[in-house]
Amino acid sequence: MRLLHTSDWHLGRSFHRVGLLDAQAAFLDHLVATVHAHDVDAVLVAGDVYDRAVPPLPAVELFDTALHRLAEAGVPTVMISGNHDSARRLGVGAGLIERAGIHLRTDPDGIGTPVVLSDAHGEVALYGLPYLEPALVRERLGAERTGHEAVLAAAMDRVRADLARRPAGTRSVVLAHAFVAGGAPSDSERDITVGGVAAVPTGVFDGVDYVALGHLHGSQTLTPRVRYSGSPLAYSFSETDHRKTMWLIDLGADGEITGDVRLDCPVPRPLARIRGRLDDLLADPALTPHEQSWVEATLTDPVRPAEPMARLTARFPGTLNLVFDPERTGDDPGASYAQRLRDRSDQQIAEDFVAHVRGGAALDGAERAVLYGAFDAVRVDTAEREVGR
């Protein structure tokens, strides 16, 4: 069975205030063309269909058009909700839409009920695990603890229990939206850390033939059977070096991966990160290819130059982000605030702040738990508000 694995469309998102709806429409054209060109048997969309819980109307219209085109193609499509989606909104009309071959899996209660497809070698059960906010689903799933690993383990117990009741030789596929250990994040994913822990081990998914992951925006193979497709478009300059693709996976008669191909997605405009003194950037002939790119420029001039954005855009019209990082040593007290906070999570920044205001005393375990609990409470409150909208 041939599967096309994609995720993280983020319909309605912009890139540094530049609208991406046309680029997202071009990707969906490419998706439908790929379904036809490669004789795809099922499309897997592993969450974050939309960029926010209440998406703008043009994004909803684009999604509606995509659903119609996938249904007309006659190829079953399985979609789950991600942490950016409103599960209730995305799942409206799921029962009716399913009659057209579009299977929306947004309700945790349906985790153990797969979409069952057949080919010449028998049945394939596809299980959709929507994004599981631990504090909201722990009791429903009977998880022993509050945390991503615990709720995903409880969800996978339901998957394995259903699979055990099916005929011997039934192959299995799981769609999940989570941060799995070994994956490399980028700047454009929303933090889903719970209690200071974000990632879950790949072993949570043991016992199934293929796991189609969403959430991280870079295409990644964690194991031959556990993969991220990544987002089809770049949503931050941290993704400048990403190759945006979809996975084309061939599932063999015994559940083995008999073929895996990364299919490139359309690139509306390349990204570039350039760094140096302003006069050097304006004169460097090696940067000529970036004159047609979206550009993030980091200026290292010791003194901030006059009108830097106007001068940069004269050569690089696609300059969208300007960063100042003067040439100083890393421990220079004049180092920029952004530089000092680079690669640090919100929780780490908060810990540093607490330690700073009380004279350098680090947090102990109990204090750290209280701080993480506060972050978790805010995130859960936000999730509950989105569910209720």
Side-chain angles (χ1 to χ4, degrees):
M1 181 167 290
R2 177 162 288 179
L3 310 171
L4 184 63
H5 170 196
T6 178
S7 74
D8 295 274
W9 296 354
H10 288 280
L11 300 181
R13 189 164 185 156
S14 60
F15 183 77
H16 289 270
R17 299 177 299 281
V18 175
L20 292 176
L21 207 64
D22 287 346
Q24 291 172 333
F27 160 69
L28 292 174
D29 288 343
H30 172 71
L31 173 71
V32 174
T34 299
V35 167
H36 290 292
H38 291 274
D39 296 323
V40 171
D41 295 307
V43 176
L44 314 179
V45 186
D48 281 353
V49 174
Y50 291 121
D51 189 56
R52 55 183 184 266
V54 184
L57 183 57
V60 177
E61 292 173 339
L62 184 57
F63 179 60
D64 180 62
T65 301
L67 291 186
H68 279 83
R69 296 178 68 187
L70 288 168
E72 289 169 1
V75 176
T77 299
V78 184
M79 296 183 173
I80 61 172
S81 50
N83 60 300
H84 280 250
D85 298 309
S86 165
R88 288 179 63 182
R89 286 177 179 271
L90 186 62
V92 168
L96 288 173
I97 295 172
E98 189 155 9
R99 298 180 185 179
I102 308 293
H103 307 273
L104 296 172
R105 292 294 187 261
T106 65
D107 186 347
D109 290 338
I111 284 172
T113 304
V115 177
V116 180
L117 305 178
S118 299
D119 64 8
H121 305 294
E123 293 186 340
V124 178
L126 298 95
Y127 298 88
L129 278 60
Y131 172 69
L132 301 172
E133 174 57 53
L136 299 182
V137 302
R138 174 188 173 185
E139 293 184 1
R140 290 173 68 179
L141 295 179
E144 296 180 358
R145 301 177 308 281
T146 298
H148 289 294
E149 182 176 355
V151 297
L152 277 170
M156 285 301 301
D157 285 343
R158 293 191 178 190
V159 168
R160 296 186 191 95
D162 178 83
L163 194 56
R165 293 191 291 267
R166 296 190 174 273
T170 298
R171 291 158 290 166
S172 55
V173 174
V174 164
L175 290 77
H177 196 87
F179 186 178
V180 180
S186 65
D187 293 343
S188 56
E189 299 117 7
R190 183 183 295 172
D191 185 15
I192 58 171
T193 299
V194 174
V197 178
V200 301
T202 56
V204 166
F205 300 104
D206 285 351
V208 296
D209 297 313
Y210 184 70
V211 181
L213 293 175
H215 180 59
L216 299 185
H217 289 180
S219 178
Q220 301 168 66
T221 300
L222 305 185
T223 77
R225 296 185 182 275
V226 182
R227 307 180 188 219
Y228 283 100
S229 68
S231 60
L233 297 170
Y235 293 118
S236 73
F237 278 104
S238 66
E239 300 170 55
T240 298
D241 295 329
H242 285 191
R243 176 187 165 197
K244 296 302 184 181
T245 58
M246 300 180 287
W247 280 112
L248 191 68
I249 300 293
D250 287 335
L251 198 63
D254 297 320
E256 72 276 21
I257 307 296
T258 60
D260 58 342
V261 179
R262 287 179 67 188
L263 300 176
D264 291 296
C265 297
V267 178
R269 194 165 181 174
L271 305 185
R273 276 177 152 171
I274 60 177
R275 179 184 180 88
R277 296 192 177 196
L278 179 57
D279 288 342
D280 294 338
L281 296 180
L282 295 177
D284 189 350
L287 299 181
T288 299
H290 300 323
E291 292 174 359
Q292 304 304 316
S293 302
W294 294 127
V295 172
E296 178 184 74
T298 299
L299 301 185
T300 61
D301 302 70
V303 177
R304 183 173 300 204
E307 300 183 334
M309 182 60 89
R311 294 168 65 187
L312 278 167
T313 53
R315 182 182 182 189
F316 306 103
T319 302
L320 298 181
N321 196 38
L322 185 56
V323 179
F324 293 96
D325 188 13
E327 295 168 346
R328 297 180 174 122
T329 60
D331 56 356
D332 189 324
S336 72
Y337 182 70
Q339 184 179 2
R340 295 197 303 271
L341 298 187
R342 188 174 299 155
D343 299 325
R344 300 187 67 75
S345 68
D346 291 343
Q347 290 89 335
Q348 290 171 324
I349 293 169
E351 283 192 46
D352 290 347
F353 173 76
V354 173
H356 171 74
V357 298
R358 63 183 191 183
L363 280 70
D364 61 27
E367 292 170 328
R368 187 172 290 108
V370 170
L371 184 63
Y372 288 172
F375 275 95
D376 291 347
V378 170
R379 191 193 64 260
V380 170
D381 179 68
T382 301
E384 289 176 331
R385 289 174 182 272
E386 291 184 349
V387 167
R389 293 171 77 177

